[in-house]
Amino acid sequence: MALVKDNPKVITSSKTSSSMATEKPEPKRPLIRVADFDFYYGEKQALFDINMDMKENEVTAFIGPSGCGKSTLLRCINRMNDLVEVARIGRGKIEVNGADIYDPRVDTIELRKRVGMVFQKSNPFPKSIYENVIYGLRIQGINKKSVLDEAVERCLKGAALWDEVRDRLDTSGLSLSGGQQQRLCIARALAVEPDILLMDEPCSALDPVATAKVEELIHSLKKEYTIVIVTHNMQQAARVSDKTAFFYLGKLIEMAKTDEIFMSPKNEQTEAYISGRFG
Amino acid sequence: MAKESKSGRYDLHSRRRRVLGLDKGQALKGLFGGNALVSVIVLALITFFLFKEGAGFFGQYRHDIELYRKSGLEYVEIMKKETDSFSELNRYLNSIRGEHASVLKERGLSFAEAKAELSSYEDFIYNFEDLGYPLREYVLEMNEVAIGARNMFVEASNYREHRENLLALGRDEEAAEVEVLDVDLSVFVEMIKEGEPDFLALNDKVAVGIIRLTDDLPTIGIEKLDDKMQRFKELALMFVSEMDGYETRLAEWDPQEPVGMGSAFASFVFGKDWVTNSSIQDWYGILPLFTGSLLVASIAMVIAIPLGVGAAIYINQVATPAEQNFIKPYIEFISAIPSVVIGFFGIAVFGEFVRQASGWAIFSGLDAFPISERLTAFTAGCLLALMAIPTIFTLAEDAINNVPKSFKEASLAMGATRLQTTMRIIVPTSLSGIISAILLGFGRVIGETMVVLLCAGNRIEIPDFTDGLATFFEPVHTMTGIIAQELGEVVNGSIHYRALFMVGMVLFLLSLLINYLAQKIVLKYQVSRG
Ligand SMILES: Nc1ncnc2c1ncn2[C@@H]1O[C@H](COP(=O)(O)OP(=O)(O)OP(=O)(O)O)[C@@H](O)[C@H]1O
Ligand SMILES: [Mg+2]
């Protein structure tokens, strides 16, 4: 199950998080490393020379004005940009747990099993809640009822949704409210037991109560997952993240501990953005 | 609009220009509303016209069937069935001899030798044939009587009608000149009925003869053929035992038994014969046409569904833009080929190709092959598939395209492969759209006329579904084909004309049903999404 098929030193199975834990040499090493990264949509350059590390079990928030490339960078981390016809990398690389994910030998399927994603607009499948959660297991050929039942309960509990839906697992995932749908999508992403969760504005369509629930959830997920979250909400970034990265016009302007960024930003543009003077 | 002083009241009255008391918005509304109304009216008129022209059918048909009964034709038909089955026995017997002859030829016997072999049981065959002659003569004679009676009656009523028309026009002298015979059908029926004892006596003779002859069955000396001879004996004795049945039916037959609308209806819907311009009796049973249409359409769908849906999935999910730009217009272009051209291609090229291909060695294991017909249900079905594919493809591709992109992204982000995403998310989500695409393709196929008329072989007979594979290689006729073929030559207002309209009605209802189902399914799909 190696990410790179014939390269033994890159990340191995994440199937069992316990075995994973023993493999981790020391906590807080960079799990995601972006180095000198340029990215283009056709002729248009969307990312300029990005350099950043995201550490294990940390929450990193991407902030910045609309169109500055937050989503683009996020989608590069699990290669969802492969779906975009014109997308291409200009320079640099992204490493996940030491493996260059744009190595031609990389199997994107394996990568995406380890780097899960939650989208801005909740997108549960038109299937039952139960089937939604275990979709990732089904496609791996896991059909054993006991395993699936266990996964459904674990993931729905993990996504703080279990108590609300435990009696109606057979109803359509689309019958849930917006906030519940988004948590269902998170539960679905958890089922494949990724190491990293990418979240692109997961709360932008939710009301304050649902947002609070998701934020709480992010907080508790931090113990087991490395999370990258894109948000337009400064308070949210301040509440949930350990590190914050500010982007502007495709460039990473500043990245630091969240407290530092919000208390004493080094860069003028960052300061202007945070204080709401532009963007 | 001039700005009034703030203190004054607002003047909100419309200042739009009006034509015929309508402003622009109302005029546009009227225009589009009018267009919709015209379409609705035209549709209603078509429906009404179909109903009106077809409606008289059952009354006329009932009348025809009644005449068939009253004139004794029905009675004669029962006897004829019996003689037909006797002829069947004769044919079976002769086929044994034919087979024997070819066996002898294979063994290299000379003509004279073979003839000598065969003649050993020639007498048996002739004697058997002779048994049936008196019976057949008798039935023919009675048939003449019944047909004569029926024709006289029809002629007389035509004259009567003519006279009444003249009277209605006030041309009394001319009307007086028209002679109208009073034809009493019961006299003729009496005549036919009187012969019943004769017929029974003939029957007895035949029965006795068969038993006597088959008691002393000739042996041929070839096991396979002797088995057949035994089988012949069984069949012959079965025929004897069935004679009683014919006799009771004759005895129970009652010329005065009324013919209800129900039996006219049943005779149309479940009738196995479509016989027109017959000197004896016309039958308008839709079953052979209906099954023919269905068979051809089924063949077409079996071919078109996998190809159309498969192509749609491929184009939408797998193909590169370059492939899309080539394949999509190409498939859609097929639907631009006039159906008569496709039919022509079927006659000129494809039918012959299928026949030749059926002779290829790889098919030699199949009983049905090689086939002898060029124009068959299969030929027409293949060509219709060609016409259904663009419909199915386009609609199915639309349905697949309507699956939100976010589903696909979500699936891929979970580490699903393209194929898994397609089969587990895309296809199930668009399934109802795909099904309605298939239904509409079916509707297209069922309603197609030119291709079936040219390529289906046009034999009016219910396909023999017990034939296995060979069923698909029989010529058939279809509902659309028969209308196109016969409507041009029928007399306006005649029963045949109305029967064709009824066939049209059935087609119309079928299309309605298909469209209704397709809509139902799409509706259900939308509900499950929301
Ligand atoms: N599929 C695409 N094809 C071409 N250009 C794209 C595509 N997606 C994004 N872009 C461009 O790349 C730039 C960065 O877009 P991106 O979506 O990453 O911004 P963002 O920071 O996520 O903005 P927002 O906060 O509004 O979501 C934008 O200028 C956008 O127009
Ligand atoms: Mg974005």
Side-chain angles (χ1 to χ4, degrees):
Chain A
M1 286 285 265
L3 185 60
V4 175
K5 278 163 202 150
D6 35 41
N7 186 351
K9 69 171 189 270
V10 294
I11 29 173
T12 48
S13 171
S14 61
K15 274 276 108 67
T16 51
S17 35
S18 54
S19 76
M20 192 68 204
T22 59
E23 274 172 40
K24 290 171 190 167
E26 57 186 23
K28 307 273 176 182
R29 70 189 170 100
L31 192 60
I32 306 168
R33 162 165 279 162
V34 184
D36 311 327
F37 195 70
D38 284 354
F39 189 83
Y40 296 81
Y41 289 113
E43 287 307 300
K44 184 175 174 298
Q45 187 163 5
L47 294 175
F48 297 83
D49 194 31
I50 308 289
N51 279 288
M52 65 197 297
D53 287 346
M54 284 159 264
K55 299 223 171 69
E56 208 164 20
N57 295 6
E58 269 185 4
V59 178
T60 308
F62 288 2
I63 60 171
S66 191
C68 67
K70 306 179 296 287
S71 301
T72 300
L73 180 57
L74 197 72
R75 289 165 61 90
C76 282
I77 299 174
N78 69 346
R79 290 187 56 174
M80 283 306 279
N81 273 331
D82 289 11
L83 297 181
V84 179
E85 215 65 58
V86 294
R88 67 189 168 86
I89 301 163
R91 201 170 59 93
K93 61 179 178 181
I94 297 179
E95 283 177 5
V96 172
N97 201 9
D100 177 359
I101 61 166
Y102 283 95
D103 187 307
R105 290 169 298 172
V106 164
D107 184 358
T108 52
I109 311 276
E110 287 303 317
L111 172 69
R112 288 173 190 157
K113 279 185 203 159
R114 283 146 213 212
V115 186
M117 187 161 204
V118 176
F119 297 81
Q120 173 173 5
K121 201 172 157 287
S122 62
N123 52 3
F125 299 128
K127 296 172 182 281
S128 69
I129 294 173
Y130 187 92
E131 285 298 326
N132 258 289
V133 176
I134 58 166
Y135 178 76
L137 301 178
R138 284 240 195 259
I139 56 176
Q140 290 175 25
I142 300 170
N143 284 313
K144 210 167 152 212
K145 184 99 171 56
S146 58
V147 176
L148 298 179
D149 284 347
E150 185 272 325
V152 166
E153 185 169 344
R154 176 171 49 77
C155 298
L156 283 174
K157 276 181 176 159
L161 189 60
W162 175 249
D163 292 330
E164 288 159 66
V165 299
R166 60 189 305 172
D167 321 318
R168 48 171 176 148
L169 294 175
D170 289 335
T171 56
S172 168
L174 295 165
S175 67
L176 298 174
S177 75
Q180 289 173 325
Q181 286 191 12
Q182 193 59 297
R183 277 178 284 150
L184 178 60
C185 291
I186 295 175
R188 184 175 66 184
L190 297 183
V192 272
E193 301 187 21
D195 300 324
I196 299 166
L197 264 186
L198 308 174
M199 301 182 164
D200 194 349
E201 302 184 45
C203 302
S204 67
L206 306 185
D207 69 24
V209 177
T211 302
K213 282 208 169 137
V214 174
E215 284 179 9
E216 239 171 77
L217 177 58
I218 291 172
H219 224 75
S220 63
L221 290 175
K222 204 169 92 172
K223 289 185 217 94
E224 285 183 59
Y225 304 89
T226 303
I227 296 173
V228 183
I229 179 171
V230 172
T231 178
H232 276 284
N233 181 330
M234 293 305 119
Q235 284 84 26
Q236 183 169 67
R239 279 194 300 266
V240 302
S241 67
D242 302 307
K243 295 264 179 64
T244 298
F246 172 63
F247 292 83
Y248 185 53
L249 295 179
K251 297 190 178 91
L252 174 61
I253 305 297
E254 187 173 352
M255 177 171 176
K257 287 222 172 75
T258 300
D259 302 345
E260 284 173 26
I261 283 255
F262 281 95
M263 300 297 186
S264 52
K266 294 197 178 63
N267 187 289
E268 265 173 55
Q269 285 165 326
T270 316
E271 214 240 304
Y273 182 72
I274 289 168
S275 57
R277 269 183 278 130
F278 83 88
Chain B
M1 249 179 271
K3 241 189 179 163
E4 314 278 315
S5 72
K6 280 242 174 82
S7 58
R9 285 217 254 143
Y10 286 160
D11 177 7
L12 298 175
H13 289 200
S14 165
R15 287 190 183 75
R16 273 175 260 178
R17 212 143 50 88
R18 286 171 175 274
V19 181
L20 298 172
L22 299 172
D23 71 25
K24 214 161 144 197
Q26 286 167 326
L28 269 179
K29 193 175 145 201
L31 180 68
F32 291 129
N35 287 349
L37 190 67
V38 169
S39 330
V40 169
I41 290 176
V42 168
L43 255 181
L45 279 178
I46 291 174
T47 318
F48 171 75
F49 181 67
L50 266 177
F51 264 105
K52 185 180 140 285
E53 294 295 320
F57 170 74
F58 289 116
Q60 235 167 325
Y61 197 28
R62 189 200 67 82
H63 184 258
D64 260 27
I65 298 176
E66 195 173 57
L67 190 57
Y68 171 73
R69 177 167 291 166
K70 287 212 166 118
S71 63
L73 272 170
E74 189 179 37
Y75 182 86
V76 176
E77 198 77 11
I78 299 172
M79 299 195 282
K80 219 193 261 164
K81 282 233 173 71
E82 189 191 299
T83 54
D84 284 350
S85 66
F86 186 82
S87 309
E88 192 78 25
L89 285 174
N90 272 332
R91 267 201 294 282
Y92 190 81
L93 204 49
N94 276 309
S95 78
I96 296 178
R97 184 165 57 172
E99 217 169 301
H100 192 188
S102 52
V103 169
L104 293 179
K105 203 173 147 209
E106 260 172 48
R107 289 186 182 167
L109 265 66
S110 76
F111 181 70
E113 286 168 323
K115 199 168 174 206
E117 279 269 328
L118 290 172
S119 65
S120 68
Y121 56 97
E122 211 156 47
D123 282 349
F124 176 77
I125 293 180
Y126 291 149
N127 286 341
F128 191 84
E129 269 174 22
D130 284 346
L131 278 179
Y133 276 130
L135 207 56
R136 190 144 359 122
E137 290 292 308
Y138 177 82
V139 173
L140 279 177
E141 200 176 307
M142 290 300 140
N143 198 30
E144 293 291 307
V145 175
I147 288 177
R150 203 263 322 262
N151 290 352
M152 266 162 78
F153 185 84
V154 170
E155 203 174 327
S157 26
N158 284 347
Y159 275 120
R160 187 173 301 120
E161 205 178 306
H162 183 50
R163 187 171 65 184
E164 271 156 21
N165 282 344
L166 289 175
L167 280 174
L169 290 169
R171 287 145 71 174
D172 289 10
E173 300 105 74
E174 278 176 68
E177 271 174 32
V178 177
E179 249 181 276
V180 178
L181 281 177
D182 231 351
V183 182
D184 185 1
L185 286 173
S186 61
V187 174
F188 295 93
V189 172
E190 253 343 84
M191 228 162 93
I192 297 170
K193 267 285 220 183
E194 259 165 28
E196 199 167 296
D198 296 345
F199 181 74
L200 296 186
L202 285 172
N203 255 359
D204 285 347
K205 258 196 211 151
V206 171
V208 170
I210 288 178
I211 292 169
R212 185 175 47 79
L213 272 177
T214 54
D215 225 18
D216 186 19
L217 219 53
T219 46
I220 299 172
I222 299 169
E223 197 181 335
K224 190 176 75 177
L225 294 178
D226 280 331
D227 283 352
K228 283 207 166 167
M229 205 48 120
Q230 276 303 327
R231 174 81 189 133
F232 166 75
K233 182 175 175 179
E234 280 168 33
L235 288 172
L237 293 179
M238 208 188 301
F239 171 74
V240 171
S241 64
E242 276 164 6
M243 280 171 131
D244 280 348
Y246 291 113
E247 285 171 11
T248 41
R249 275 174 66 192
L250 288 176
E252 280 167 7
W253 180 77
D254 172 13
Q256 298 308 326
E257 194 185 324
V259 178
M261 269 313 209
S263 50
F265 183 76
S267 177
F268 174 71
V269 176
F270 305 112
K272 294 192 184 69
D273 302 298
W274 179 278
V275 183
T276 55
N277 299 330
S278 154
S279 62
I280 304 171
Q281 174 71 17
D282 287 354
W283 294 106
Y284 301 100
I286 200 175
L287 222 47
L289 308 171
F290 190 81
T291 47
S293 280
L294 231 49
L295 180 67
V296 173
S298 312
I299 295 171
M301 293 318 280
V302 165
I303 299 168
I305 290 172
L307 291 181
V309 174
I313 292 174
Y314 180 79
I315 285 296
N316 196 281
Q317 295 296 313
V318 188
T320 63
E323 282 176 307
Q324 283 185 5
N325 288 339
F326 173 69
I327 299 175
K328 241 174 112 164
Y330 195 84
I331 293 182
E332 276 153 16
F333 164 75
I334 297 175
S335 64
I337 305 176
S339 55
V340 68
V341 175
I342 293 186
F344 183 62
F345 168 76
I347 290 184
V349 184
F350 187 69
E352 186 55 34
F353 169 75
V354 171
R355 185 169 61 180
Q356 303 233 328
S358 73
W360 291 349
I362 43 166
F363 297 127
S364 60
L366 299 169
D367 280 350
F369 289 165
I371 54 175
S372 54
E373 303 281 349
R374 194 161 53 97
L375 302 178
T376 64
F378 181 77
T379 314
C382 288
L383 295 165
L384 282 184
L386 196 65
M387 311 188 64
I389 286 172
T391 309
I392 296 179
F393 167 79
T394 309
L395 294 171
E397 214 253 338
D398 272 358
I400 293 170
N401 214 14
N402 277 339
V403 176
K405 220 174 144 200
S406 63
F407 288 172
K408 185 179 173 183
E409 285 205 325
S411 170
L412 290 174
M414 312 269 316
T417 62
R418 261 172 196 271
L419 184 68
Q420 283 171 331
T421 305
T422 303
M423 296 323 285
R424 286 169 187 261
I425 301 294
I426 311 276
V427 171
T429 309
S430 55
L431 192 60
S432 33
I434 292 175
I435 291 176
S436 65
I438 290 171
L439 276 176
L440 292 174
F442 185 74
R444 169 109 172 74
V445 161
I446 266 280
E448 168 53 39
T449 307
M450 213 54 199
V451 168
V452 289
L453 187 61
L454 293 175
C455 303
N458 297 351
R459 188 177 68 181
I460 307 176
E461 209 166 286
I462 298 179
D464 185 354
F465 289 102
T466 57
D467 259 4
L469 196 59
T471 310
F472 304 110
F473 297 95
E474 287 168 23
V476 294
H477 215 317
T478 54
M479 296 191 284
T480 47
I482 204 97
I483 296 177
Q485 186 183 352
E486 296 185 347
L487 198 56
E489 23 184 272
V490 295
V491 181
N492 216 323
S494 68
I495 179 169
H496 188 181
Y497 171 87
R498 292 191 196 288
L500 291 177
F501 268 90
M502 281 314 296
V503 176
M505 280 291 300
V506 172
L507 265 172
F508 181 67
L509 292 177
L510 202 63
S511 304
L512 225 55
L513 180 76
I514 291 168
N515 276 298
Y516 172 78
L517 286 179
Q519 269 178 18
K520 255 279 172 44
I521 288 171
V522 171
L523 218 62
K524 197 179 140 226
Y525 163 69
Q526 280 165 347
V527 168
S528 77
R529 270 269 208 88

